[in-house]
Amino acid sequence: MPAPAIRRPLPWLAGVVVCGLAALAAWAVHWLVPAVPLLTAAVVLGIVVGQLPAARPAVTGRLAPGLSLSAKRLMRVGVVLLGLKLSLGDIAGLGWVTIASTVAVVLLSFVGTFWIGRLMRLPGHQPLLIATGFSICGASAIGAMSGVVKPKDEEAATPVALVTLCGTLAIFVLPLLWHPLGLDAPQFGHWVGAGVHDVGQVVATAQLAGAAALSIAVVVKLTRVLMLAPMVAVASVVERRRHVEGDPAAKRPPIVPLFVAGFLVAVLVRTLVPLPTAVTDGADTLQTVLLAMALFGLGTAVRLRTLVGTGWRALVTALVSWALIAALALAAVWISTVA
């Protein structure tokens, strides 16, 4: 009689441990080369590992449950903790013109990118995910939206790779345009905060212009992050309606996903409760670690051969979106200056 198969306890553990080690390696890269944001390093490391023939059996086999758990569940916890960066008081200090123009940049760039993606006939949820990542807050926004629409792994992995590519390009391209565009340091910071995707990429780009530019860049960027909650909630309502029309008996996503509610609660806590510095610093560190682990997991799902062979339409969408958002953000800076 054959021996019964031994079921491994905690099948996700190995993959999560690998993601943790990858986050540590990404931190080392960031420490050695501060211009490379930690989260960008994590995504790139995941993409590299996903291409190695020797690593692929483990990535698609034993490590797969842990990589998937990190890319989805740890991402959601990281998004909740991201809310502790946001104080509504800091955002109010920007003034209504800057706030309104920032919201307009998010909405216009989202609609424009989604339309471009549909025009380029991108498959599945890719137009929505690319629009979300480019207009709001990069890979973490893609992860948040993925929690609602439940895309295939490759559908989420390609937008993450593209938003990482374009955000990294921004670190090098935008400073070259700073002086030719006639911007002072605060205006440059405003432009970076309104136009660059990921928080880490915003910091890496704006810090070149000094503390004043960095300060306004971060607050403007976090104003865009605040748009994550309503955008995801709207997508959830649309997804519920689609489920009802397609299969009334199917399980429908909640109107407001739990992690989005947690994000909003975290924002309110940061706004209303005077948290000790040790708490906010600890939450920031934990959030960075969780997002780094999640982005490494997402990065391993990218297949560059497939992306190069069939993903040119997604690349065109990303580059056009990148240019569109940069132009809209620059217009927002000029409007705020005139007002």
Side-chain angles (χ1 to χ4, degrees):
M1 206 175 159
I6 300 175
R7 186 175 181 181
R8 288 189 297 112
L10 303 179
W12 46 264
L13 183 59
V16 171
V17 169
V18 169
C19 288
L21 294 174
L24 185 61
W27 173 83
V29 171
H30 174 64
W31 182 72
L32 291 171
V33 188
V36 178
L38 191 154
L39 298 184
T40 298
V43 176
V44 172
L45 183 60
I47 293 173
V48 170
V49 170
Q51 313 318 304
L52 298 176
R56 194 157 303 160
V59 167
T60 58
R62 184 184 177 190
L63 300 180
L67 294 174
S68 178
L69 182 145
S70 297
K72 295 173 183 176
R73 297 188 182 181
L74 296 188
M75 174 72 80
R76 295 173 196 174
V77 177
V79 169
V80 171
L81 293 175
L82 185 61
L84 290 178
K85 289 177 175 286
L86 282 164
S87 168
L88 297 180
D90 291 340
I91 293 174
L94 292 173
W96 74 268
V97 174
T98 300
I99 294 172
S101 62
T102 301
V103 171
V105 168
V106 171
L107 295 177
L108 291 173
S109 59
F110 179 90
V111 172
T113 302
F114 183 78
W115 179 79
I116 294 166
R118 294 294 296 271
L119 185 66
M120 297 299 293
R121 301 192 303 278
L122 298 186
H125 293 293
Q126 279 193 7
L128 174 64
L129 296 178
I130 293 176
T132 302
F134 275 70
S135 64
I136 304 176
C137 56
S140 53
I142 293 171
M145 188 63 77
S146 297
V148 171
V149 299
K150 310 296 184 186
K152 298 176 182 178
D153 286 346
E154 57 270 21
E155 283 183 10
T158 296
V160 166
L162 293 172
V163 80
T164 301
L165 168 66
C166 291
T168 303
L169 288 175
I171 297 173
F172 301 99
V173 173
L174 266 61
L176 297 177
L177 300 175
W178 170 17
H179 294 299
L181 289 173
L183 303 176
D184 59 25
Q187 288 173 329
F188 177 72
H190 185 176
W191 185 37
V192 171
V196 178
H197 315 308
D198 182 80
V199 175
Q201 294 161 346
V202 167
V203 172
T205 309
Q207 67 185 358
L208 299 174
L214 179 58
S215 176
I216 190 170
V218 169
V219 177
V220 170
K221 174 61 193 173
L222 293 179
T223 304
R224 289 170 61 197
V225 172
L226 191 59
M227 294 291 292
L228 180 63
M231 301 289 271
V232 170
V234 169
S236 183
V237 171
V238 173
E239 193 71 5
R240 280 174 62 89
R241 189 170 298 169
R242 190 175 67 84
H243 274 259
V244 170
E245 294 174 354
D247 182 4
K251 184 179 179 181
R252 291 172 288 174
I255 294 177
V256 179
L258 185 60
F259 71 92
V260 174
F263 170 83
L264 293 173
V265 169
V267 173
L268 292 176
V269 168
R270 179 59 190 271
T271 302
L272 301 174
V273 179
L275 297 174
T277 301
V279 172
T280 56
D281 288 349
D284 184 55
T285 300
L286 178 59
Q287 174 248 333
T288 301
V289 170
L290 292 175
L291 288 182
M293 294 173 66
L295 293 176
F296 173 81
L298 272 174
T300 60
V302 175
R303 296 293 176 264
L304 290 181
R305 180 175 297 179
T306 303
L307 185 61
V308 171
T310 62
W312 65 269
R313 292 191 298 271
L315 179 59
V316 170
T317 300
L319 292 175
V320 174
S321 174
W322 184 45
L324 171 66
I325 294 168
L328 290 171
L330 187 59
V333 172
W334 286 334
I335 290 171
S336 298
T337 300
V338 171

